[in-house]
Amino acid sequence: MKKFAYIDATSVDTVPSLLGRRFGQAQVLAGGTDLVGELKEYIATPDRVVNLKSIPGLDYIRQEDDGLKIGPLTTLADIETSTLINDQYSVLQQAVSAIASPQIRNVGTIAGNICQRPRCWYYRSEDFDCLKNGGDTCYSVRGVNRYHAIIGGGPCYIVHPSDSAVALMSLNASVKIQGPRGPREEMLDDFFVLPELNIMRENGLRANEFVTEIIVPASKPNTKGIYVKVRERDAIDFAMASVAVTMTMSGNTCSEATVVLGGVAPVPWRVPDVEQFLQGKQITEDVASAAAEMALREADPMSDNSYKIEMTQNIVSQAILDLA
Amino acid sequence: MSTNGYKVIGSRPIRHDGVDKVTGRAKYGADVQLTGMLYGKVLRSPHPHAKLKGIDTSKAEALPGVKAIATAADLPQIADKIADLGEAVVNLRDSSNNVLAYGKVLYRGHAVAAVAATSRHIAAEALELIQVEYEPLPHVTSVLEAMKDDAPILHEDLKMTEMGEETDKVSNIANHFQHKQGDPEAGFTEADMVIEREFETATVHQGYIEPHNATAEWNEEGHLTLYTSTQGAFSVRDQLVEILQIPVSKVTVVPMEIGGGFGGKISVYLAPVAAVLSRKTGHPVQMTMDRDEVFIGSGPTAASYLKIKMGATNDGRITAATAYMAYEAGAYPGSPVGAGAGCILTPYRIPNVQIDGYDVCVNKPKSNAYRAPGATNAAFGSETVVDELAEALGIDPLEFRIKNGVTEGDRRPDGPEHPRIGCIETTEAAKSSAHYGASLEPSSDGKLRGRGVASGYWFNFNGGRSAISVSVNDDGSINMLEGSTDIGGSRASISMMLAETLGLSAKDINPRVVDTDAIGYTDATGGSRTTFATGYAAHATGKALICEMKKRLAQAWEVSADAIDFKDGLFSYKNDEEKRGTFKELSGKIGGTGGPLVAQISTQPDGSGGGAFATHIVDVEVDPETGKVDILRYTAVQDVGTAIHPSYVEGQLQGGVAQGVGWALNEEYIYNTDGGMTNSSFLDYRMPTSLDLPMIETILVEVPNVSHPYGVRGVGEVPIVPPPAAIANAIYRATGTRMYELPMSPPRLASQMAKNA
């Protein structure tokens, strides 16, 4: 771990100036479950670590007129056990309860989960000067890539590690962001960025910005959601593939749907074509498998990860059928 | 209370070390704190194979807080010398070169230099300042590649040993040996059905939760005291004496509590390095590995390639078998192929058999023992072929195993005759178990279910040296010193045997695992020997105390010692009501007869007694959409001899199965094309969690070991042997897909099922 100054922030407004304008110079600390590992492995080598836990009032789950508001420092465990979320935004509860382990969920926060860095083993190793670490090679291309991206990759092939982001995107959630000139709001659809746009980051936060709230539109009647995650191990494991689907049903006809894939692309991967395709359809096995095939149409696997295509198709169709 | 006539044996007292462990008070290696202590860190090779051209430490030495730097130049360069460490045979010159590379680095993670500094952070910073000049060489990380004639050679001076004779051939194949009985070709001709298959298994790690550690204090008089977590304090002492070339009287090894070893904590990695740094600085030096270092810089167990052929007649009699076994030794010779070859076909009576074993160097960490070393890889192959044969012949797989099972007097393929063992009893208990009798209900949601079985064998090391030293307190309680690392409840089981002998209860014994100055030489806790061998010494110690007590009572009672009887825990003289009492009652009444009662006993049993057999039954559920395997139900049946403390016996079975499930389904070193391990963390090297395992059921079959006074048979290792094969056989029953490679993880199983579809 490189030496750094540790600063307890006292208010949201002061954080941007503490962070400064240069990426890498400072890091925000919330639950620390990702950051501490990065610090120890010299992946993150900031001069300053800005503690957000010293700011009062960033930990809440509230239902307001325009929807659900979640404070950025709300722990994953609090979300998992919230009756409100379980009743009205069950897809989020399902996704959060599939994260890591109870111990990590007790400490990890929702904003931290959305903003966590990728788990790619080349990125996480000190020995590889990969694209994301400022080098000029993505080692997964010629290396071992069984857990890497099958969609949206290039020149870097990480998969986005967050479960909660996949569920939140399926709920059309947005994030409130604090910067030096005050707050702004961004849909999650626009928040995440592909490596071809910014190789060093997974989202559009500027160096001196941080997430201050997660906003989920009010749930609609007759709407249900499901999160399906495939992992090798039943705890402490990231998704080989996952999917969040929400569907509004009238009878057995789908009037509206959202479909977001996880574990297969450098960002939570929304598939608008599939959403449109499902709209107005009676949900049958044929419809579900057609949707699943469509969801993976752009897949372009690497040497070791073509298994993910069928795996993902299978869970997409399973998720759709389960909601019908 | 047990049903076998014993009072203590067979009961389940709370272990002596239990409360300290669950409350966090027990002291492990990294808890050692000494005055003026420095912290050491190791610089590791980024290359899998390279010549060391030079090491410049000047910049690192100039960093404030750095007190010393060590390289191989600080170790005496020693000649070849083979040492048997209980579970693994090592060449001490190789051990020396493994702890600090000399001339060449042979794997990524190979230790090159070490720094002692006033803090861990300064030590880590100093590592970055050490400049090493490497000349990279081509590398090889797979056993079959390494065996080819044009493979990069790891050791230019290593001549292949062929059937016991050293040849002139420079090769990565350190050794080829053969066991042969009968005429396999004729045996296959006799068979109605012959099946031949090839198998591959990945490099796996023991995964002990406590990383390696060593704290060395080399004082001004030249005496080295070393605190460490190890399976064998005396083995560590032996290695320090040889690697550092110092007199044995100048070394004390203090064993701390151990957070798991499984065979991986017998060889030393940090201890000699910490010692050298302490000598150079005059301060105690503590070194601990982080998890990444444990993966890349300790001793995982061998990856392997197997080709197995078996033939049987239509009525289900195995007529012949051959096994070709090539195991990766890692950077230096000494894979567990020998042990694997001695276990592979041992559960079966096979008249014609040939086993060829190859020990092959590759650019990976030096392989080490892992719970029944070599036998799990072997059984994955042989037990799959046995399953296929039984299926092809239309015979129940357990019936097939019983029909061909070994009994007393049968020969193992590697020669020795079996004494009284429980192979058939175990398989029969599996066949009549509730689990095997229950039908496996199909899944309601489209998943595929299947049941598999497999058997396994492990020799058990029924020998080695063990010492016990006791002193009796006035209240009849006993302070018992021993030299065996307590890895699975052996303080309790050994105390119980002493208590049983003397008519005491387990809590009357106060067991202590002590340092190498305080007790006679005791071999490492390994080879499933400790409860057997140190318990053997405890029994002998109890007998000696009884004898001594009789002498003292003879004085106190003024009778002849020969006339004093000891039976059912009671000393008595004829029918004299005044002259009788238990050991406990009488201990305080022998004042003036010659000071406190003490005894010291050292034993070395002759190694006879035979091995352990296990048969496992597993129900799996496979998700055809993802290739993920869930274990629904698991039963481990095993001949455990006499179960001294049944809870800890059951714990050993469950622990072995848990590790075997990980080996079967998820665990592997994933190597990159540049020869490095990509997944050197517990996140990416997936060991099962509690959610991945059902409650593992156990059935203890007790066929007492005739070579032990209480019938103890080692139990700790064989339970890891059957799981991969049993699970592979279950996956086949569920999906119709045979898996010939470990691990059977979702990416592999999904791909294989897609290929077969």
Side-chain angles (χ1 to χ4, degrees):
Chain A
M1 196 180 292
K2 192 187 88 125
K3 264 186 202 158
F4 54 81
Y6 181 83
I7 303 160
D8 281 331
T10 51
S11 72
V12 165
D13 302 348
T14 56
V15 172
S17 62
L18 292 172
L19 289 174
R21 270 189 275 181
R22 204 153 53 77
F23 273 116
Q25 208 171 34
Q27 297 277 353
V28 292
L29 170 69
T33 57
D34 190 23
L35 179 62
V36 174
E38 289 222 314
L39 292 171
K40 283 173 122 171
E41 302 293 333
Y42 289 83
I43 310 293
T45 52
D47 300 325
R48 294 186 299 280
V49 169
V50 180
N51 178 28
L52 301 178
K53 288 173 293 184
S54 46
I55 304 173
L58 293 182
D59 164 7
Y60 53 85
I61 300 168
R62 284 199 290 266
Q63 181 81 293
E64 293 182 3
D65 293 346
D66 53 345
L68 175 75
K69 308 285 170 74
I70 308 176
L73 263 56
T74 307
T75 65
L76 300 168
D78 283 347
I79 291 172
E80 186 186 5
T81 54
S82 155
T83 325
L84 169 63
I85 289 174
N86 199 17
D87 290 350
Q88 296 189 32
Y89 308 93
S90 143
V91 65
L92 177 60
Q93 194 271 343
Q94 295 169 49
V96 166
S97 62
I99 295 169
S101 66
Q103 293 90 332
I104 291 173
R105 296 198 292 274
N106 282 338
V107 210
T109 65
I110 185 69
N113 189 262
I114 293 170
C115 298
Q116 67 185 301
R117 304 306 311 275
R119 295 304 322 184
C120 166
W121 45 38
Y122 298 108
Y123 164 69
R124 292 274 167 174
S125 165
E126 287 176 68
D127 299 334
F128 293 95
D129 196 15
C130 83
L131 289 171
K132 263 200 184 298
N133 285 326
D136 57 8
T137 309
C138 175
Y139 291 90
S140 75
V141 175
R142 286 174 194 278
V144 186
N145 49 41
R146 72 167 81 149
Y147 303 112
H148 285 79
I150 53 169
I151 311 177
C156 152
Y157 290 86
I158 60 143
V159 293
H160 199 273
S162 174
D163 291 301
S164 68
V166 176
L168 284 167
M169 199 183 270
S170 80
L171 293 166
N172 291 313
S174 51
V175 285
K176 205 162 126 187
I177 294 164
Q178 182 74 23
R181 279 179 292 281
R184 64 185 178 98
E185 208 179 302
E186 194 159 55
M187 291 288 290
L188 278 185
D189 288 354
D190 306 319
F191 179 67
F192 297 103
V193 293
L194 283 170
E196 61 189 22
L197 291 176
N198 186 346
I199 198 85
M200 301 298 286
R201 315 288 308 162
E202 296 78 48
N203 57 57
L205 284 177
R206 290 188 271 270
N208 51 10
E209 290 184 326
F210 77 112
V211 173
T212 56
E213 189 168 75
I214 288 98
I215 303 157
V216 186
S219 59
K220 293 180 198 155
N222 303 320
T223 302
K224 283 192 296 183
I226 187 169
Y227 185 74
V228 182
K229 174 178 180 179
V230 188
R231 47 183 162 175
E232 287 202 18
R233 180 164 70 180
D234 285 344
I236 325 179
D237 214 350
F238 289 88
M240 284 186 284
S242 73
V243 61
V245 180
T246 68
M247 284 209 289
T248 308
M249 301 294 291
S250 46
N252 58 355
T253 303
C254 166
S255 58
E256 205 179 340
T258 60
V259 180
V260 186
L261 309 180
V264 291
V267 297
W269 191 261
R270 192 157 180 166
V271 273
D273 290 0
V274 178
E275 296 175 357
Q276 258 168 28
F277 168 79
L278 289 170
Q279 208 171 333
K281 292 264 179 358
Q282 285 207 1
I283 301 302
T284 62
E285 281 198 20
D286 287 348
V287 167
S289 44
E293 201 156 306
M294 192 181 280
L296 276 295
R297 210 160 45 187
E298 289 178 52
D300 181 14
M302 306 170 82
S303 54
D304 307 331
N305 64 5
S306 54
Y307 73 92
K308 281 193 177 190
I309 296 178
E310 204 181 330
M311 179 183 279
T312 315
Q313 286 171 341
N314 286 337
I315 58 172
V316 169
S317 111
Q318 178 198 328
I320 292 170
L321 290 172
D322 277 4
L323 288 179
Chain B
M1 197 59 61
S2 91
T3 54
N4 53 15
Y6 295 126
K7 293 192 173 67
V8 182
I9 289 171
S11 67
R12 301 171 188 244
I14 289 172
R15 63 200 289 167
H16 303 78
D17 49 318
V19 173
D20 273 357
K21 281 182 176 163
V22 299
T23 56
R25 288 179 204 285
K27 295 261 189 300
Y28 292 82
D31 293 325
V32 174
Q33 280 294 327
L34 302 175
T35 308
M37 191 168 85
L38 303 173
Y39 298 88
K41 289 296 276 180
V42 173
L43 179 69
R44 296 181 182 279
S45 167
H47 301 286
H49 196 191
K51 273 189 189 148
L52 273 175
K53 308 288 280 185
I55 305 177
D56 180 356
T57 58
S58 54
K59 280 189 186 158
E61 278 164 46
L63 185 72
V66 171
K67 299 295 182 187
I69 293 175
T71 66
D74 294 297
L75 294 174
Q77 288 312 314
I78 55 182
D80 284 354
K81 182 173 175 186
I82 303 298
D84 187 345
L85 300 178
E87 279 200 312
V89 173
V90 300
N91 180 324
L92 290 161
R93 185 187 66 151
D94 292 346
S95 299
S96 175
N97 294 345
N98 194 30
V99 299
L100 282 171
Y102 180 75
K104 244 178 149 187
V105 289
L106 294 168
Y107 56 97
R108 197 157 153 165
H110 198 159
V112 171
V115 176
T118 49
S119 82
R120 286 191 183 86
H121 300 294
I122 294 173
E125 224 176 300
L127 296 183
E128 311 266 318
L129 300 174
I130 298 176
Q131 285 160 328
V132 184
E133 197 190 330
Y134 296 101
E135 181 189 319
L137 299 167
H139 66 274
V140 58
T141 52
S142 102
V143 64
L144 291 181
E145 291 296 317
M147 292 173 82
K148 290 181 179 163
D149 280 340
D150 58 351
I153 294 290
L154 274 77
H155 302 282
E156 295 295 345
D157 58 349
L158 177 68
K159 308 275 174 59
M160 177 175 165
T161 300
E162 172 75 30
M163 313 286 266
E165 305 279 329
E166 188 180 302
T167 66
D168 285 334
K169 191 177 163 129
V170 173
S171 166
N172 291 321
I173 305 170
N175 187 16
H176 165 223
F177 61 89
Q178 191 178 80
H179 302 306
K180 191 171 180 182
Q181 288 180 35
D183 180 350
E185 280 319 306
F188 286 126
T189 316
E190 208 185 311
D192 298 306
M193 173 71 63
V194 175
I195 289 177
E196 184 172 21
R197 297 285 182 259
E198 291 175 272
F199 301 86
E200 280 179 44
T201 74
T203 302
V204 296
H205 198 273
Q206 301 86 354
Y208 33 78
I209 214 78
E210 179 205 27
H212 288 273
N213 56 74
T215 308
E217 184 165 33
W218 199 319
N219 74 10
E220 283 75 2
E221 290 180 303
H223 193 98
L224 169 64
T225 304
L226 190 106
Y227 305 80
T228 190
S229 158
T230 174
Q231 291 175 238
F234 287 91
S235 305
V236 170
R237 191 179 71 173
D238 290 347
Q239 293 172 82
L240 287 171
V241 162
E242 293 296 340
I243 292 172
L244 300 170
Q245 294 288 299
I246 52 176
V248 66
S249 58
K250 291 285 191 187
V251 186
T252 307
V253 176
V254 184
M256 304 302 292
E257 291 296 346
I258 187 167
F262 311 106
K265 282 195 188 146
I266 301 175
S267 297
V268 294
Y269 300 97
L270 299 175
V273 183
V276 164
L277 289 170
S278 177
R279 188 181 60 198
K280 291 183 94 166
T281 59
H283 286 268
V285 175
Q286 182 167 87
M287 302 182 78
T288 54
M289 287 191 189
D290 62 25
R291 184 57 57 184
D292 172 63
E293 292 183 280
V294 172
F295 277 115
I296 69 172
S298 70
T301 208
S304 55
Y305 164 85
L306 301 114
K307 187 154 82 179
I308 293 162
K309 184 176 176 183
M310 289 180 92
T313 55
N314 280 333
D315 64 351
R317 196 170 43 82
I318 302 175
T319 56
T322 56
Y324 174 101
M325 310 171 71
Y327 279 40
E328 290 179 2
Y332 301 96
S335 76
V337 66
C343 292
I344 184 164
L345 296 162
T346 302
Y348 307 103
R349 190 189 309 119
I350 308 174
N352 306 294
V353 60
Q354 180 176 327
I355 298 169
D356 285 278
Y358 294 85
D359 184 35
V360 184
C361 292
V362 297
N363 293 111
K364 290 184 180 180
K366 162 76 178 75
S367 74
N368 218 320
Y370 177 19
R371 207 169 192 157
T376 303
N377 319 40
F380 171 58
S382 58
E383 289 295 303
T384 298
V385 174
V386 166
D387 198 66
E388 289 197 49
L389 262 184
E391 191 202 16
L393 296 168
I395 303 175
D396 172 273
L398 288 181
E399 188 53 47
F400 184 70
R401 284 171 171 84
I402 292 167
K403 205 175 175 113
N404 292 286
V406 282
T407 55
E408 186 172 354
D410 287 336
R411 278 201 181 282
R412 300 193 331 218
D414 58 340
E417 227 174 68
H418 286 290
R420 176 79 175 94
I421 35 126
C423 175
I424 303 277
E425 289 86 341
T426 300
T427 322
E428 278 175 345
K431 189 157 181 269
S432 60
S433 67
H435 184 169
Y436 203 64
S439 59
L440 179 58
E441 301 298 323
S443 153
S444 56
D445 57 0
K447 293 188 179 155
L448 308 169
R449 292 184 173 181
R451 173 172 297 162
V453 298
S455 292
Y457 168 78
W458 174 248
F459 308 99
N460 285 350
F461 179 36
N462 297 319
R465 293 154 286 180
S466 281
I468 292 277
S469 172
V470 292
S471 52
V472 180
N473 303 310
D474 281 351
D475 62 357
S477 64
I478 294 182
N479 298 325
M480 182 184 84
L481 311 186
E482 51 160 320
S484 285
T485 297
D486 180 356
I487 227 169
S490 58
R491 281 187 186 87
S493 63
I494 293 161
S495 295
M496 288 167 75
M497 284 182 264
L498 180 61
E500 183 74 46
T501 312
L502 293 169
L504 297 171
S505 71
K507 67 177 191 306
D508 292 325
I509 316 292
N510 172 29
R512 295 277 171 221
V513 179
V514 292
D515 68 56
T516 53
D517 291 351
I519 188 76
Y521 194 102
T522 298
D523 276 299
T525 293
S528 296
R529 72 172 285 276
T530 293
T531 302
F532 174 91
T534 308
Y536 192 100
H539 171 262
T541 307
K543 289 288 186 203
L545 278 181
I546 291 166
C547 188
E548 182 63 19
M549 181 65 113
K550 283 182 179 174
K551 283 188 205 157
R552 303 301 190 84
L553 290 175
Q555 282 185 55
W557 291 344
E558 297 179 336
V559 300
S560 153
D562 295 341
I564 296 174
D565 216 19
F566 179 70
K567 207 178 163 207
D568 294 333
L570 212 61
F571 290 93
S572 60
Y573 174 73
K574 296 183 176 164
N575 288 328
D576 189 337
E577 286 298 320
E578 298 293 303
K579 295 186 176 60
R580 61 193 298 136
T582 62
F583 184 86
K584 211 168 169 158
E585 289 162 353
L586 298 172
S587 301
K589 296 179 183 166
I590 51 168
T593 61
L597 272 186
V598 295
Q600 269 192 327
I601 293 287
S602 174
T603 53
Q604 189 170 17
D606 66 6
S608 66
F613 290 84
T615 299
H616 291 189
I617 308 161
V618 59
D619 297 346
V620 302
E621 179 172 275
V622 182
D623 185 339
E625 304 193 330
T626 64
K628 173 130 182 355
V629 176
D630 284 323
I631 309 287
L632 299 177
R633 186 175 181 184
Y634 203 110
T635 303
V637 190
Q638 185 176 321
D639 169 20
V640 300
T642 304
I644 302 297
H645 192 307
S647 296
Y648 300 154
V649 172
E650 290 156 6
Q652 288 289 342
L653 271 54
Q654 291 162 332
V657 170
Q659 289 186 311
V661 168
W663 195 336
L665 293 180
N666 300 110
E667 294 181 37
E668 62 177 316
Y669 274 46
I670 301 172
Y671 274 89
N672 206 10
T673 44
D674 68 355
M677 180 187 186
T678 56
N679 60 332
S680 56
S681 78
F682 272 154
L683 182 64
D684 295 318
Y685 179 92
R686 293 176 173 84
M687 298 183 73
T689 69
S690 60
L691 295 183
D692 299 291
L693 299 164
M695 183 63 192
I696 294 155
E697 298 164 47
T698 59
I699 296 174
L700 308 185
V701 177
E702 295 190 274
V703 178
N705 182 345
V706 291
S707 298
H708 190 278
Y710 289 124
V712 172
R713 200 181 286 288
V715 300
E717 292 181 288
V718 76
I720 200 176
V721 179
I727 293 168
N729 293 337
I731 289 172
Y732 166 71
R733 294 286 193 286
T735 64
T737 293
R738 282 275 178 200
M739 293 297 285
Y740 298 111
E741 269 178 50
L742 294 182
M744 301 174 282
S745 56
R748 284 183 203 230
L749 182 51
S751 307
Q752 195 57 45
M753 286 194 297
K755 259 186 228 164
N756 291 0

